Amino acid sequence: MHGMLRRIPTCGEKRIKTVFTHIQIKRYHSIGPLSGIDCIYCIGYLSRGNELTPTFTFFDNLNPIVSTHKCFDSLLTPKDHVSRRPSDTYYINKDTVLRTHTSAHQTELMSNHNNAFLVTGDVYRRDEIDSTHYPIFHQMEGVRIFERKQFGNLTEDQQNKIIEEDLKKWLQGAITAIFGQELQMKWVDAYFPFTHPSFELEIYFREKWLEMLGCGLVHQDILKSIGLRDHVGWAFGLGLERLAMVLFQIPDIRLFWSQDERFKSQFTRDEIIKFQEYSKYPPCIKDISFWIDERYQPNDFFEMVRGVGGDLIESVQLADRFVHPKTKRESHCYRINFRSMDRSLTHDEINQLQQSIRDKSLSELKLDLR
Ligand code: PHE
């Protein structure tokens, strides 16, 4: 067992383990809700001893198909914000999307007089392809609203400061309780349209700082828009796969979708283990280069590659850019890394996939291949 995890109370271990199992058994298309009860324990039990801790209400079966109003407008997301772009978000039609974050439910739940709640669920984003990004993942949202009058005569700024400290103390306490004191973490100032001020908590994992959660004070304009004038509150959104990756030392987010017994059998007991990596199959690297124009969106390319290669695509990296000295046209070269988590790939198989990526670059994305 991983040394620094031993201090976790048994009930907590079980719960976190269950969270993990719940994530793991979901399949790409037939995704179901995460069990909220497991998640509350994952975070909720950690805040014992904090006199501000209320009872959170759980929502774990809210529909992931939401209006753009819920996902963006109700959260003050500007009309031209990147997160709204079809290159970043899966649109079902022009007013309906697959939620990009559990924050999509914040405003409605707050306006229904919930003042302390957690929302868990699957969220969807078009994104880059590497070991910590996957088009579907899970988040847990937490929101806590306070009445200003409970702070007596303090100024609003003083109250806000107290709430900010409460939020940070609470989250940091939760993360430390899960991982132990040795874990390196840092707060980074951030921007979200719906919180102010906003922060991110990053965790040091495999020689990189990994964003684990975003949070902040709920924007006053949101509270006003739902009639909560004399209130103040905090909100956070936590990435559950990333939490589990750091907790179990799982190196690649695709493993959550693996049906391989060598993976699944490691998580059958109620304890937190360090994932034992089984032999990696050899990668196969292929490059593809094309000329781009101003319409080009890298996420369209990544999405198409993922569509062709599925979980056999380990990463896609921009390997080179070149601007033609005369024509000023720009070309991109991407390095596609094919590797299965479960088996060896044959050359034929990879060549076929690469050919189909080339074909679709031409026919669907209208890219000018080099
Ligand atoms: N929704 C944000 C994200 O997905 C996280 C967040 C939640 C930030 C709540 C602030 C408050 O990145």
Side-chain angles (χ1 to χ4, degrees):
M1 174 156 38
H2 198 234
M4 66 173 122
L5 299 172
R6 271 193 212 111
R7 267 169 280 134
I8 297 177
T10 328
C11 88
E13 284 189 10
K14 278 205 186 115
R15 295 307 182 179
I16 296 163
K17 159 69 178 50
T18 324
V19 170
F20 170 75
T21 316
H22 276 268
I23 295 171
Q24 202 262 116
I25 55 174
K26 304 287 179 278
R27 299 307 301 161
Y28 205 131
H29 290 295
S30 59
I31 195 104
L34 271 180
S35 160
I37 296 302
D38 298 320
C39 289
I40 184 62
Y41 280 100
C42 162
I43 283 290
Y45 85 96
L46 301 165
S47 49
R48 276 180 315 203
N50 177 348
E51 66 292 355
L52 285 175
T53 304
T55 316
F56 285 86
T57 314
F58 250 117
F59 299 92
D60 65 357
N61 57 0
L62 302 175
N63 192 341
I65 299 176
V66 298
S67 63
T68 48
H69 178 81
K70 269 182 140 177
C71 202
F72 303 121
D73 302 294
S74 77
L75 294 166
L76 312 177
T77 307
K79 288 277 183 226
D80 58 354
H81 194 265
V82 284
S83 63
R84 289 191 189 243
R85 291 193 195 145
S87 59
D88 288 56
T89 295
Y90 293 97
Y91 276 80
I92 288 172
N93 58 45
K94 86 176 185 355
D95 307 313
T96 318
V97 296
L98 285 173
R99 67 184 163 208
T100 57
H101 50 183
T102 41
S103 305
H105 304 286
Q106 254 191 40
T107 316
E108 189 177 29
L109 291 173
M110 287 189 292
S111 59
N112 290 339
H113 308 290
N114 291 293
N115 57 15
F117 60 88
L118 296 166
V119 180
T120 55
D122 38 311
V123 300
Y124 301 78
R125 286 185 204 174
R126 301 180 62 163
D127 222 324
E128 53 205 275
I129 302 183
D130 64 25
S131 62
T132 56
H133 290 89
Y134 201 74
I136 173 172
F137 57 102
H138 293 81
Q139 283 188 329
M140 180 164 65
E141 191 87 1
V143 174
R144 172 106 211 258
I145 305 292
F146 306 81
E147 280 184 80
R148 287 214 182 263
K149 67 173 186 238
Q150 79 187 73
F151 296 93
N153 292 330
L154 298 180
T155 65
E156 289 207 352
D157 280 352
Q158 287 169 328
Q159 298 180 4
N160 294 354
K161 202 72 203 152
I162 292 178
I163 303 297
E164 178 188 322
E165 273 158 23
D166 179 61
L167 166 71
K168 286 185 170 166
K169 191 175 83 186
W170 201 81
L171 285 171
Q172 208 168 317
I175 298 288
T176 313
I178 296 175
F179 294 103
Q181 298 287 351
E182 293 88 346
L183 187 80
Q184 287 192 63
M185 56 178 144
K186 65 174 183 194
W187 287 104
V188 182
D189 287 334
Y191 165 78
F192 300 104
F194 40 96
T195 47
H196 184 77
S198 308
F199 312 95
E200 278 169 1
L201 185 66
E202 294 186 353
I203 286 186
Y204 199 66
F205 179 58
R206 300 199 160 226
E207 280 138 37
K208 273 202 225 143
W209 286 101
L210 186 64
E211 183 197 325
M212 184 66 65
L213 62 87
C215 66
L217 297 202
V218 179
H219 204 293
Q220 281 299 320
D221 292 346
I222 296 184
L223 294 173
K224 273 188 213 143
S225 76
I226 51 176
L228 294 177
R229 283 185 179 277
D230 304 311
H231 290 70
V232 53
W234 54 242
F236 70 85
L238 172 70
L240 294 178
E241 275 82 353
R242 288 186 174 185
L243 183 105
M245 283 175 83
V246 179
L247 191 58
F248 300 100
Q249 305 278 309
I250 294 172
D252 193 306
I253 196 165
R254 287 176 297 164
L255 283 163
F256 289 100
W257 306 87
S258 166
Q259 288 301 309
D260 193 311
E261 280 307 317
R262 286 169 301 174
F263 180 76
K264 292 201 296 180
S265 63
Q266 296 196 33
F267 298 98
T268 50
R269 278 166 297 130
D270 278 338
E271 62 181 320
I272 292 170
I273 53 141
K274 178 176 176 330
F275 171 62
Q276 296 296 323
E277 284 187 54
Y278 38 86
S279 64
K280 274 203 167 188
Y281 291 91
C284 176
I285 291 160
K286 296 269 175 199
D287 286 351
I288 180 169
S289 304
F290 41 77
W291 297 103
I292 61 159
D293 59 25
E294 60 296 338
R295 283 168 315 179
Y296 173 68
Q297 296 285 349
N299 281 354
D300 291 341
F301 177 68
F302 300 148
E303 181 72 13
M304 182 274 289
V305 173
R306 184 84 84 173
V308 172
D311 285 2
L312 300 182
I313 310 293
E314 179 162 287
S315 60
V316 180
Q317 279 160 331
L318 183 60
D320 192 29
R321 307 162 85 132
F322 165 76
V323 179
H324 192 282
K326 291 224 177 78
T327 61
K328 303 282 180 251
R329 282 180 94 196
E330 186 172 343
S331 108
H332 281 185
C333 171
Y334 288 93
R335 183 147 296 166
I336 305 177
N337 196 344
F338 296 87
R339 189 203 313 251
S340 164
M341 288 280 156
D342 313 332
R343 63 191 176 88
S344 276
L345 299 175
T346 65
H347 282 295
D348 276 358
E349 191 175 11
I350 291 167
N351 289 338
Q352 272 179 29
L353 292 173
Q354 179 73 358
Q355 190 54 48
S356 136
I357 289 171
R358 291 183 68 87
D359 293 347
K360 291 201 171 180
S361 299
L362 264 172
S363 63
E364 287 180 7
L365 302 179
K366 313 277 182 251
L367 291 168
D368 188 1
L369 293 177
R370 295 184 63 188

